[in-house]
Amino acid sequence: MHLSNLKTKFIGRNIVHYQVVTSTMSVAKQLVKDDATEGTVIIADEQTEGRGRLGRTWIAPPASNLLISIILYPKLAQLSQLNMVAALSVSQAVEKVTELSSSIKWPNDILIRGKKVSGILIENILEGREVKASIVGIGINVNFFPDLDITPTPTSLSGECGKELSREMVLQCFLEEFEHLYKLLDTGQIVYEKWLARVETLGKTIRVKWNDRIEVGCAESIEPDGTLIMRCPDGSIRRVVAGEVTLQV
Ligand code: BTN
């Protein structure tokens, strides 16, 4: 995949493109062991074991969608906001290429008209108690979406804007947004506020699934580290941490 006019300094300056891999996440982990530079992007046309959040699978036919992982070496304090950078940059890129507005379902699903066009999976590589690297995995349904009866309903960029789109164009736009926001992380607050402004979950009644227990409440607020504060019908508060639960809206 060739990006002729990429305006970034380090994100996507090194792109490793495969036809078929198990998962770009696994390839990225191997490249971290080989000391890959920050911003290295792994792209696959096809994954045989593509993975989603909470142990789910991620499906895309060959060369239809964007399947990417980015290798980062963030500071510890930046880790909790990495998913905000990722979700916000996808959401902004999606708006630029489709001219349709896009929102974020907490913690990091990207939606158009309430349907999911993209998901994010972050895996951290630990060395003792330190985080050695973070792998940010992004799947964007550019020209295909799986016809699954799940919430939120899947869709694709082409399905929403009525024409096929070039994966290169979406990728370039996304990488530029991503670098811009990742650099802003040093200032912390700005990314959180921009992300929060797009989160459509706030104020809604939500159903939180903790293993096999479901609790209903109102999504009252979200803290700068991404923790969602849910108000239960009896007035009590639950702190909901991304990665532990499924949100059923
Ligand atoms: C989700 O469950 O919403 C997250 C989906 C993340 C999918 C992407 S595709 C590229 C990267 N490689 C994977 O195996 N998963 C992520």
Side-chain angles (χ1 to χ4, degrees), residues 33-52:
K33 285 193 192 139
D34 300 341
D35 294 323
T37 52
E38 174 155 63
T40 296
V41 170
I42 297 92
I43 304 183
D45 286 339
E46 187 182 355
Q47 298 184 121
T48 54
E49 292 167 28
R51 43 188 195 256

Side-chain angles (χ1 to χ4, degrees), residues 214-226:
I214 292 181
E215 280 186 325
V216 181
C218 175
E220 200 166 75
S221 60
I222 301 173
E223 296 180 343
D225 70 355

Side-chain angles (χ1 to χ4, degrees), residues 139-151:
I140 306 180
N141 297 342
V142 181
N143 293 311
F144 167 89
F145 62 93
D147 186 13
L148 296 173
D149 186 17
I150 49 172
T151 312

Side-chain angles (χ1 to χ4, degrees), residues 222-243:
I222 301 173
E223 296 180 343
D225 70 355
T227 305
L228 185 142
I229 308 299
M230 178 172 90
R231 174 81 60 183
C232 299
D234 66 2
S236 64
I237 289 283
R238 291 274 185 290
R239 295 172 55 79
V240 189
V241 177

Side-chain angles (χ1 to χ4, degrees), residues 29-35 72-74 76 79 123-134:
K29 280 188 185 160
Q30 187 54 49
L31 290 179
V32 166
K33 285 193 192 139
D34 300 341
D35 294 323
L72 298 169
Y73 301 105
L76 194 60
L79 271 190
E123 293 179 352
N124 296 317
I125 300 173
L126 305 175
E127 207 167 52
R129 298 179 64 167
E130 302 281 304
V131 175
K132 182 176 182 204
S134 271

